[in-house]
Amino acid sequence: MLTLGLQYKHGGEVSDTIGLLISILVRYPEVATINYEPAEQLLRFTFMLSEPITGEKMEKFAEKFRKSLEVYNYLENREARIIDLKYTPYDQLTSLEVQRDVATLSRDEIDLIIALVREGFNSTLVAENNDNIMEEELMIQEELIDRMLESVRGTVPERRLIAFREEGRVMVFNK
């Protein structure tokens, strides 16, 4: 059984915000980086696609994406403050960024975001292999995400953070 532990290099406890970013990256291997912007109470999920995507394909995806999240939030009786989607094509790849406010975001909505990105870009979506992580560990990460999202909603803004994977490890830095 693989157990994931959190190590914090500065000797302090891992804040709920840092823990949230780590848990999201561990649970969702499709997320390349995640940024936390405390002033806006905003999470920015970045996905990498292994080819440049045309504007037309991205516009179709963006329309379906926004409608899906709006319907989801309507059914959950929430009004999302920020649902934004941006993309940046490069020579050989595309960066897709999803922005969501923490106040109305839930783990179920993160699941929906991941499912929509997978469905829209399955063959080109770059994802880390997490076959070594057992189902129990994934469920623990989901519970942590739920708890930490609740905790982060009520906190005073802290520093801007970015988390990403490097050689199988999750790295979190101040921006």
Side-chain angles (χ1 to χ4, degrees):
M1 179 172 153
L2 176 68
T3 304
L4 300 172
L6 301 179
Q7 294 181 333
Y8 191 50
K9 296 282 184 183
H10 292 282
E13 291 219 359
V14 175
S15 75
D16 284 341
T17 307
I18 292 171
L20 174 64
L21 301 183
I22 292 169
S23 290
I24 288 172
L25 286 177
V26 169
R27 174 60 187 96
Y28 304 104
E30 301 85 355
V31 178
T33 66
I34 186 159
N35 290 265
Y36 174 65
E37 303 291 340
E40 298 91 17
Q41 288 280 291
L42 178 76
L43 284 176
R44 290 188 293 135
F45 301 81
T46 303
F47 302 89
M48 297 307 293
L49 309 173
S50 62
E51 64 183 32
I53 304 298
T54 65
E56 183 180 325
K57 180 176 182 178
M58 192 57 74
E59 285 175 27
K60 285 181 182 177
F61 173 77
E63 183 177 334
K64 178 180 180 179
F65 181 85
R66 281 192 184 92
K67 284 182 181 178
S68 297
L69 293 187
E70 286 169 2
V71 167
Y72 174 82
N73 280 292
Y74 174 78
L75 293 173
E76 291 292 315
N77 201 26
R78 285 192 295 245
E79 190 171 331
R81 188 174 50 86
I82 298 172
I83 298 176
D84 202 7
L85 186 70
K86 297 177 181 179
Y87 76 101
T88 307
Y90 297 100
D91 288 339
Q92 301 298 318
L93 51 96
T94 301
S95 170
L96 176 66
E97 181 181 280
V98 174
Q99 296 182 5
R100 277 293 285 117
D101 61 284
V102 174
T104 60
L105 183 65
S106 69
R107 185 193 41 82
D108 289 336
E109 186 175 353
I110 295 172
D111 287 342
L112 176 60
I113 290 168
I114 301 299
L116 290 167
V117 172
R118 267 193 215 135
E119 181 183 304
F121 304 104
N122 189 30
S123 62
T124 61
L125 181 59
V126 176
E128 186 172 275
N129 182 358
N130 72 346
D131 291 341
N132 295 334
I133 300 176
M134 299 180 77
E135 188 67 30
E136 297 154 5
E137 182 64 35
L138 295 178
M139 289 173 48
I140 290 169
Q141 294 302 323
E142 290 174 357
E143 291 173 16
L144 285 172
I145 291 168
D146 283 332
R147 186 175 56 77
M148 289 180 214
L149 271 171
E150 283 298 319
S151 175
V152 169
R153 282 187 192 109
T155 61
V156 175
E158 33 178 297
R159 57 193 174 273
R160 295 172 63 202
L161 300 170
I162 182 170
F164 59 90
R165 287 183 197 81
E166 183 177 286
E167 297 177 8
R169 296 184 326 201
V170 173
M171 311 291 273
V172 181
F173 292 97
N174 295 331
K175 283 177 74 179

